[in-house]
């Protein structure tokens, strides 16, 4: 879902339509861009032992659930966070034609962070924006965007398909999104004229930036999946009978800050690709 011309396959959904004519706003999310950004490594390194142990046990329980079954994210675990790309299309002439934003949604704290943005005005040059401060959900558009990112990322749709909840599936929109919206969804109005014409260099730079962003997403997706898989393997090893400390009479467990009084370090979990290595300790007795 590119602001100028798509350079990758999208899975576009209308996450929200707010406001009344002639001040409508449509929020379209590319579901294919949604990625898990849960900081498991940070949680394991800083959370109290009881929360770490409870989360590891919860992970193990999920592996035993029947295929397709979803469990609510535990309150004792790390914040549930997803990242995804959304585009806001505006009806009013004084508003931008479209604003494309990469969001990080913290579903636990109900906050949104804009990681980058691209704004196409009707009467002036393209604006590129960087990251903004984390902010609480404050508008109806925010609330629906948050609900979509969190529900799609976690698969928590209450046993229903997204379409059953009134969400409109656009598929892979290959044309300029505002043109598509006015031609198919806002046929009861007239699209304001675009008086500014972007130069070829602006267009090329924008497409290059979009391609770079998606290449980075593709590169990190595999690494993140491998890291999560290793975390599951480490968790299983820590909780297995075979993980008992040899000669110590006690089991091994994560000790992110190293051994404390009455403990000794006997190893470490495997780290890398977003999951940090965590020391493993055993009672020293």
């Amino acid at each position: 879902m590119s602001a100028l011309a798509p350079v990758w396959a999208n899975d576009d959904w209308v996450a929200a339509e707010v406001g009344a004519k002639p001040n409508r706003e449509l929020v379209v999310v590319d579901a294919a861009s949604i990625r898990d950004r849960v900081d498991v490594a940070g949680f394991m390194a800083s959370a109290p032992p009881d929360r770490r142990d409870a989360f590891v046990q919860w992970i193990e329980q999920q592996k035993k659930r029947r295929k397709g079954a979803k469990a609510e994210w535990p309150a004792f675990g790390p914040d549930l966070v997803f990242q995804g790309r959304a585009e806001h299309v505006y009806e009013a002439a004084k508003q931008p034609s479209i604003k494309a934003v990469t969001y990080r949604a913290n579903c636990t704290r109900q906050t949104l962070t804009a990681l980058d943005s691209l704004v196409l005005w009707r009467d002036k040059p393209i604006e590129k924006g960087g990251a903004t401060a984390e902010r609480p959900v404050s508008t109806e558009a925010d609330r629906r965007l948050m609900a979509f990112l969190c529900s799609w990322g976690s698969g928590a749709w209450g046993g229903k398909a997204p379409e059953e909840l009134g969400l409109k599936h656009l598929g892979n929109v290959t044309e300029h999104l505002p043109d598509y919206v006015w031609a198919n969804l806002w046929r009861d109005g007239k699209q304001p004229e675009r008086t500014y014409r972007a130069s070829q260099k602006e267009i090329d730079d924008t497409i290059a930036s979009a391609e770079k962003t998606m290449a980075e997403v593709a590169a990190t997706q595999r690494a993140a999946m491998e890291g999560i898989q290793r975390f599951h393997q480490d968790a299983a090893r820590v909780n297995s009978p075979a993980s008992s400390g040899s000669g110590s009479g006690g089991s091994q467990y994560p000790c992110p800050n190293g051994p404390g009084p009455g403990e000794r370090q006997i190893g470490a979990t495997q780290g890398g690709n977003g999951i940090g290595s965590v020391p493993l300790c055993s009672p020293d007795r």
Side-chain angles (χ1 to χ4, degrees):
M1 182 171 45
S2 167
L4 292 177
V7 292
W8 61 85
N10 309 323
D11 186 16
D12 296 333
W13 291 77
V14 176
E17 183 173 8
V18 297
K21 184 181 177 181
N23 294 297
R24 289 175 289 190
E25 175 187 351
L26 200 74
V27 183
V28 178
V29 176
D30 176 11
S33 73
I34 298 176
R35 298 289 182 268
D36 181 342
R37 289 294 182 263
V38 176
D39 185 10
V40 174
F43 174 81
M44 293 299 289
S46 61
D50 58 338
R51 288 186 61 190
R52 293 201 308 269
D53 293 345
F55 182 62
V56 169
Q57 292 174 12
W58 182 84
I59 291 290
E60 288 303 299
Q61 292 170 359
Q62 305 322 299
K63 293 163 66 176
K64 299 175 183 177
R65 294 174 67 90
R66 60 184 174 81
K67 187 176 181 181
K70 298 291 183 181
E72 184 176 350
W73 189 255
F76 50 75
D79 285 358
L80 183 61
V81 180
F82 295 101
Q83 180 176 313
R85 191 75 171 169
E87 291 188 342
H88 302 251
V89 179
Y90 300 94
E91 182 177 25
K94 63 181 180 180
Q95 295 275 32
S97 175
I98 184 172
K99 179 173 68 174
V101 185
T102 301
Y103 285 104
R104 177 170 289 147
N106 187 311
C107 310
T108 303
R109 295 202 298 261
Q110 287 293 290
T111 58
L112 289 169
T113 304
L115 303 180
D116 61 61
S117 63
L118 187 72
V119 183
L120 273 69
W121 295 90
R122 296 180 173 90
D123 58 352
K124 56 185 177 181
I126 298 170
E127 289 182 7
K128 296 180 182 179
T132 63
E134 183 178 14
R135 61 179 176 80
V137 169
S138 60
T139 67
E140 183 62 17
D142 281 351
R143 187 186 68 78
R144 296 187 187 182
L145 171 62
M146 172 72 75
F148 187 92
L149 291 172
C150 296
S151 297
W152 188 280
S154 63
W157 295 104
K160 297 183 178 181
E163 293 91 340
E164 294 180 86
L165 300 175
L167 296 170
K168 186 174 182 60
H169 189 205
L170 305 182
N172 182 20
V173 177
T174 57
E175 60 189 281
H176 185 52
L177 187 59
D179 293 342
Y180 175 91
V181 169
W182 285 93
N184 296 277
L185 305 178
W186 288 349
R187 288 179 289 186
D188 57 343
K190 182 178 180 181
Q191 183 174 7
E193 182 182 359
R194 293 194 294 266
T195 58
Y196 180 82
R197 293 292 180 263
S199 67
Q200 189 59 48
K201 183 178 185 307
E202 286 180 274
I203 295 173
D204 292 344
D205 288 349
T206 301
I207 293 176
S209 177
E211 289 176 331
K212 180 181 178 182
T213 297
M214 293 310 297
E216 291 171 350
V217 168
T220 59
Q221 182 182 17
R222 178 181 175 84
M225 292 302 297
E226 291 174 348
I228 291 171
Q229 182 180 27
R230 274 198 299 276
F231 170 73
H232 288 176
Q233 292 169 347
D234 290 338
R237 188 172 71 250
V238 168
N239 287 309
S240 69
S243 68
S244 296
S246 207
S248 68
S251 63
Q252 67 181 28
Y253 47 84
C255 51
N257 297 318
E263 297 178 325
R264 62 189 177 92
Q265 183 173 342
I266 59 174
T269 63
Q270 184 179 6
N273 291 325
I275 306 298
S277 176
V278 178
L280 295 173
C281 291
S282 178
D284 188 11
R285 61 171 183 255

